[in-house]
Amino acid sequence: MAPFITHASCMSAKVDMTERLFNLVVPLAESPATAMRTTETNAHASAERSGAVSLPIGTSLRPGDVDSTNHSTPPTVRMPGCRTSTTATRTTTTRTTSTGRVPSADKSGPRAEFSFSELVQAYLDCRQHKRNTSSALAFEQNQERNLIELRDELLSGQYRPGKSICFIITRPKPREVWAADFRDRIVHHLLYNRISARFYASFIADSCACIPGRGTLYGAQRLETKIRSITQNWSQPAHYLKCDLANFFVSIDKAILWEMIAAKVPEPFWRELTHTILFHDPRRHFEWRGDRNKIELVPPHKRLTNQRAGYGLPIGNLSSQFFANIYLNALDQFIKHKIGCRHYIRYVDDFILLHRDPHWLNAALKGINAFVRERLNVRLNTSKTILQPVDRGVDFVGSVIRPWSRRTRKRTKNEALHRIACLPADRVWQTANSYFGLLRQSPSSHSDRAALANAVRRRGNSVDMNLTKTYQKRT
């Protein structure tokens, strides 16, 4: 136990606390070395340095980061009864080290419009579901260097989109898909992460697709809620008007879209980057993948290759889905505020209006048809325009809503049964679990899941008792 020290002896010794400030931001390899500046806290800055204090954090710190110098210091008055150690007899004053501005990967210079961490986050978002693709693996082999080069191109204004990949999908119907290069998709995510919030703040709650938390399940549930509201829980009659825009993605007028985007993107850097992505024409530099004969399955008026310059967005990019929502936000605002439709919902280019009077819906259809032609330079698909009572069933985003039930489309169930019957045995459990997850989103799907479970058991796999999951067949 340490002995007690009197008040007089307590005043004769003093130990100053050491203050150390270190710069813990580590610059990238290409950044210049950081020059650290030291400032004397005592007037006698030229006094001899003592080697009694060792480096506190390994040997990575340079000499001079922490120094000790002996100086005489006036005694400090302590309160009576203080307890201290008898070994504290040496008075030490430590110089304070201040740090200057350190260039690093996260600070790309005074004119930088985005941080390096934002670019890394965009890269992580881009590879989330595509990490095993060849382009993602090639980029990841030297990801730090590739990200630095991409950052330098963006900040210097030398960035230009690269080669796209074109291929044809046949389900649910033949479409022409244009996939941008992996590094270009990173730029799409970077732009989306920065400017999407300002546009989403102006979107109505009934706009779905490519919005966080507003997918197909959100659209189906919201439409069912609206139908129950207007029919007073299926006790009153009501009608619905379902419309679809003809050849929407390949008919978008980029000049009109640019006016809508530029009004909310005043920053020069992001405005220029948005203009580069929007007006990039993938048809000038692309690679064809797959069977070329499948292109004949896509009608000529639905092909991007057959459109005029300045029209059409490539299906398959995040930027195209985001731009499409901006384009049709004008339609949402017109229907909600000009026409005055209370019960309305849209998923991409499919939208539904609900009302008790069918004549009111007919008048609204004329106003919508004129608006999309004059303001958006697109037209409605007359063959897919439907006006009928809601109790006959409303088909929307893969679900069919009828009185007291919501089920998955019959076509989807039949396709699931056909695929389970034809797939190789080692792929049955994965595909079946995907369809179980899709079917269980509908409250009235027990009979559909039972049919799928029977098809899975016929292939030799087992299913849990709740008809929600299958297991891999043991070989």
Side-chain angles (χ1 to χ4, degrees):
M1 183 173 182
F4 286 94
I5 299 178
T6 63
H7 178 63
S9 62
C10 185
M11 294 174 59
S12 64
K14 172 182 178 295
V15 178
D16 289 346
M17 298 302 294
T18 301
E19 182 181 2
R20 299 184 179 96
L21 296 177
F22 302 110
N23 187 355
L24 300 182
V25 179
V26 181
L28 289 176
E30 87 282 3
S31 300
T34 304
M36 302 191 66
R37 178 172 55 85
T38 58
T39 304
E40 298 282 354
T41 58
N42 197 288
H44 305 284
S46 60
E48 261 188 356
R49 297 176 180 176
S50 171
V53 180
S54 60
L55 294 177
I57 305 180
T59 59
S60 60
L61 295 178
R62 294 169 293 182
D65 285 342
V66 180
D67 265 340
S68 299
T69 307
N70 293 330
H71 298 288
S72 59
T73 308
T76 303
V77 179
R78 295 181 179 271
M79 297 299 295
C82 65
R83 184 188 300 270
T84 182
S85 174
T86 58
T87 60
T89 59
R90 183 166 59 90
T91 303
T92 304
T93 302
T94 304
R95 297 193 312 163
T96 302
T97 303
S98 62
T99 60
R101 295 179 62 88
V102 180
S104 67
D106 210 35
K107 297 291 183 182
S108 306
R111 298 181 67 253
E113 299 291 343
F114 62 92
S115 63
F116 191 79
S117 60
E118 289 182 84
L119 187 61
V120 172
Q121 184 60 52
Y123 162 70
L124 296 176
D125 295 341
C126 183
R127 77 170 189 177
Q128 186 173 5
H129 300 294
K130 302 180 181 296
R131 191 169 186 179
N132 293 329
T133 60
S134 58
S135 58
L137 293 174
F139 191 93
E140 191 173 359
Q141 287 179 354
N142 203 354
Q143 60 181 359
E144 185 175 357
R145 182 180 298 274
N146 291 331
L147 287 173
I148 292 173
E149 291 177 354
L150 181 57
R151 179 201 63 183
D152 294 341
E153 289 183 19
L154 289 169
L155 295 179
S156 62
Q158 298 177 355
Y159 167 76
R160 294 296 180 271
K163 179 174 62 176
S164 299
I165 298 174
C166 181
F167 57 93
I168 303 298
I169 61 172
T170 56
R171 291 197 309 266
K173 56 184 178 181
R175 290 183 182 273
E176 188 182 56
V177 179
W178 298 80
D181 189 57
F182 185 78
R183 74 194 304 266
D184 295 331
R185 295 201 296 270
I186 295 177
V187 178
H188 297 170
H189 280 272
L190 177 68
L191 177 67
Y192 173 83
N193 292 342
R194 173 56 73 99
I195 70 172
S196 60
R198 67 186 69 176
F199 288 97
Y200 288 162
S202 63
F203 287 177
I204 64 174
D206 300 313
S207 173
C208 312
C210 196
I211 301 176
R214 301 189 195 178
T216 55
L217 180 59
Y218 172 89
Q221 291 176 339
R222 192 163 182 86
L223 177 59
E224 184 178 18
T225 301
K226 289 179 176 295
I227 293 177
R228 285 178 175 267
S229 175
I230 196 172
T231 61
Q232 297 184 11
N233 210 11
W234 301 104
S235 63
Q236 299 293 331
H239 292 74
Y240 76 94
L241 172 66
K242 182 179 179 181
C243 301
D244 177 83
L245 296 176
N247 314 320
F248 172 60
F249 274 94
V250 297
S251 301
I252 292 178
D253 191 334
K254 293 184 178 181
I256 298 176
L257 177 58
W258 172 244
E259 293 178 2
M260 300 176 178
I261 297 176
K264 290 194 175 183
V265 184
E267 304 92 330
F269 174 82
W270 297 106
R271 180 192 290 258
E272 181 180 353
L273 181 59
T274 306
H275 188 276
T276 300
I277 295 174
L278 174 61
F279 287 94
H280 169 65
D281 191 350
R283 298 173 293 182
R284 297 179 180 177
H285 185 38
F286 72 96
E287 175 186 349
W288 182 266
R289 294 280 181 89
D291 187 4
R292 284 183 174 270
N293 295 326
K294 288 185 177 180
I295 191 64
E296 301 299 331
L297 301 176
V298 182
H301 62 276
K302 291 182 177 292
R303 302 176 194 170
L304 183 62
T305 52
N306 295 338
Q307 303 304 316
R308 296 173 293 169
Y311 285 84
L313 295 178
I315 298 177
N317 294 334
L318 172 66
S319 58
S320 299
Q321 303 175 47
F322 176 56
F323 291 157
N325 269 337
I326 298 175
Y327 198 71
L328 290 183
N329 180 54
L331 175 63
D332 298 338
Q333 304 296 334
F334 175 77
I335 293 178
K336 294 290 288 186
H337 301 295
K338 297 297 182 180
I339 294 182
C341 182
R342 179 182 177 186
H343 302 285
Y344 162 81
I345 190 168
R346 178 181 63 81
Y347 189 90
V348 193
D349 60 331
D350 296 333
F351 56 95
I352 289 181
L353 292 78
L354 300 172
H355 203 272
R356 292 184 179 179
D357 186 3
H359 301 289
W360 187 93
L361 291 174
N362 263 324
L365 177 61
K366 295 180 181 179
I368 294 172
N369 198 13
F371 176 81
V372 296
R373 288 179 179 271
E374 297 172 3
R375 180 68 179 91
L376 303 179
N377 198 17
V378 293
R379 58 186 180 84
L380 296 178
N381 190 342
T382 56
S383 62
K384 294 184 178 180
T385 302
I386 301 173
L387 175 59
Q388 65 179 11
V390 295
D391 55 6
R392 294 185 182 179
V394 184
D395 189 344
F396 188 65
V397 292
S399 299
V400 179
I401 302 172
R402 291 189 174 91
W404 311 108
S405 74
R406 175 166 56 86
R407 301 179 61 174
T408 307
R409 283 176 183 164
K410 190 174 182 180
R411 184 182 65 185
T412 304
K413 183 197 73 172
N414 293 336
E415 183 181 359
L417 299 178
H418 175 73
R419 292 193 65 190
I420 293 300
C422 301
L423 280 174
D426 58 339
R427 293 180 54 191
V428 169
W429 72 280
Q430 290 179 330
T431 305
N433 281 331
S434 298
Y435 279 113
F436 274 126
L438 175 64
L439 293 175
R440 65 185 295 186
Q441 292 180 356
S442 302
S444 306
S445 63
H446 181 81
S447 60
D448 296 339
R449 288 185 284 118
L452 179 61
N454 291 332
V456 170
R457 287 201 296 264
R458 283 193 291 266
R459 296 301 305 272
N461 294 66
S462 59
V463 182
D464 69 335
M465 61 180 299
N466 295 322
L467 306 180
T468 58
K469 184 178 180 180
T470 183
Y471 302 92
Q472 188 173 11
K473 184 179 179 181
R474 182 175 297 179
T475 58

